[in-house]
Amino acid sequence: MKKGIILGLIFAAFTVFSTKAQDCDSIYRVVESYLVTSDDGRSFVSDGQVYTAFLDNEKAEFNTTLYGNTVYRIAASAGIKDDYAIFTIKDMEDNILFTNKDQLNSPYWDFKVQNSIPVKVQTELDTNKKITGCIVMMIGFLK
């Protein structure tokens, strides 16, 4: 009886983890597509990092350095709709440099940095549309 309960709990945990991993994998492909090609024909190369978090009515924060004279694209998604994910870029003193909240939660943003700067990128779900789930963000630079 105890073995059956333990095996059942292990199976349930594996199923939940597997479902979350599959969800994040499909979202990764969506975000990657925002870097590879866009409506304006621009193409970006990933910086090699995939910023992923499973959120439950919370925020995730990632630190990175943006290098001067580089055109970047930050792209994020949290599901089948483009507007589930919110990302905010802040300097190290928590001043907001950009947030896609002001752009109807646009799934990506292109920008150029004049000087190198360390930044914090905060991701969260738009809780009016989705409370729990995987969010994936990538940063790319113009080819």
Side-chain angles (χ1 to χ4, degrees):
M1 174 78 171
K2 288 182 183 178
K3 282 184 181 180
I5 292 172
I6 291 172
L7 288 175
L9 290 173
I10 290 171
F11 178 75
F14 178 75
T15 301
V16 168
F17 176 76
S18 176
T19 301
K20 288 179 183 178
Q22 288 173 349
D23 184 37
C24 291
D25 285 346
S26 63
I27 294 170
Y28 165 79
R29 286 188 285 282
V30 170
V31 175
E32 184 180 44
S33 74
Y34 294 140
L35 294 183
V36 175
T37 55
S38 63
D39 296 338
D40 62 5
R42 298 171 89 179
S43 183
F44 292 78
V45 177
S46 171
D47 69 354
Q49 300 292 318
V50 179
Y51 304 92
T52 304
F54 191 85
L55 303 176
D56 186 11
N57 202 19
E58 58 197 352
K59 298 177 183 180
E61 188 171 277
F62 309 97
N63 294 324
T64 191
T65 299
L66 302 174
Y67 295 98
N69 296 316
T70 303
V71 177
Y72 287 98
R73 174 172 287 175
I74 291 186
S77 182
I80 57 173
K81 293 211 174 199
D82 288 340
D83 61 353
Y84 288 161
I86 296 172
F87 59 89
T88 303
I89 302 167
K90 299 178 180 183
D91 65 16
M92 298 314 274
E93 284 79 41
D94 284 330
N95 297 307
I96 295 176
L97 305 175
F98 176 82
T99 180
N100 70 337
K101 281 185 193 179
D102 301 335
Q103 309 298 319
L104 303 173
N105 300 351
S106 174
Y108 59 85
W109 177 55
D110 297 352
F111 60 99
K112 183 174 183 177
V113 177
Q114 296 302 320
N115 299 308
S116 296
I117 180 173
V119 295
K120 300 180 222 179
V121 183
Q122 190 176 68
T123 59
E124 62 187 294
L125 298 171
D126 186 333
T127 56
N128 293 321
K129 299 172 182 175
K130 190 174 184 179
I131 295 173
T132 302
C134 184
I135 189 166
V136 177
M137 183 191 71
M138 295 175 74
I139 301 172
F141 54 91
L142 188 62
K143 276 187 178 180

